[in-house]
Amino acid sequence: QVQLVESGGGLAQAGESLRLSCAGSGFSIGGHVMSWYRQAPGKERAWVASIAVLGGGTTYDDSVKGRFIISRDNSKNTVYLQMNSLKPEDTAVYFCHASPTILSILDIWGQGTQVTVSS
């Protein structure tokens, strides 16, 4: 079964850190740009960060730049989001996404993991 499964969410206090993981199964993430998105209550899903196929290029939304780090380990078929200096406004369901590229036409979303940050 082709899927992405997120883990690592939970409850944190402001200023603390969490690390999210997103494991692919049934396909290789190596042929995909991998991204993290989040959806806060009552809001639309929003892009957070992306990492290039070979991991050399990363981009971030301004709201998380300098606090979050996206990385990937293609040998483990896993992408990560290290979230530091968490703020209450980071509270959301976090989703990972595998974008189609010239290497793979698959377009896959994970089921999401809840992150709640208290002040």
Side-chain angles (χ1 to χ4, degrees):
Q1 184 179 1
V2 173
Q3 61 180 354
L4 291 169
V5 178
E6 300 96 335
S7 61
L11 180 63
Q13 292 192 335
E16 293 184 339
S17 299
L18 285 174
R19 189 194 195 203
L20 305 183
S21 299
C22 172
S25 62
F27 77 107
S28 171
I29 71 166
H32 296 267
V33 171
M34 298 299 297
S35 302
W36 287 95
Y37 289 74
R38 64 186 180 185
Q39 187 166 16
K43 295 187 176 181
E44 294 186 351
R45 190 173 300 188
W47 171 76
V48 174
S50 294
I51 186 165
V53 170
L54 297 179
T58 57
T59 53
Y60 299 91
D61 182 76
D62 286 345
S63 65
V64 305
K65 198 174 296 183
R67 299 188 298 121
F68 290 10
I69 301 171
I70 187 171
S71 62
R72 66 193 296 160
D73 186 339
N74 289 342
S75 69
K76 295 182 178 180
N77 220 32
T78 300
V79 64
Y80 305 96
L81 186 67
Q82 177 68 42
M83 305 187 296
N84 302 318
S85 302
L86 283 164
K87 304 176 180 180
E89 51 264 43
D90 295 320
T91 295
V93 178
Y94 284 72
F95 300 87
C96 66
H97 178 240
S99 301
T101 68
I102 59 173
L103 301 174
S104 174
I105 64 171
L106 295 176
D107 185 344
I108 306 165
W109 287 91
Q111 84 291 347
T113 186
Q114 176 70 48
V115 172
T116 303
V117 183
S118 61
S119 57

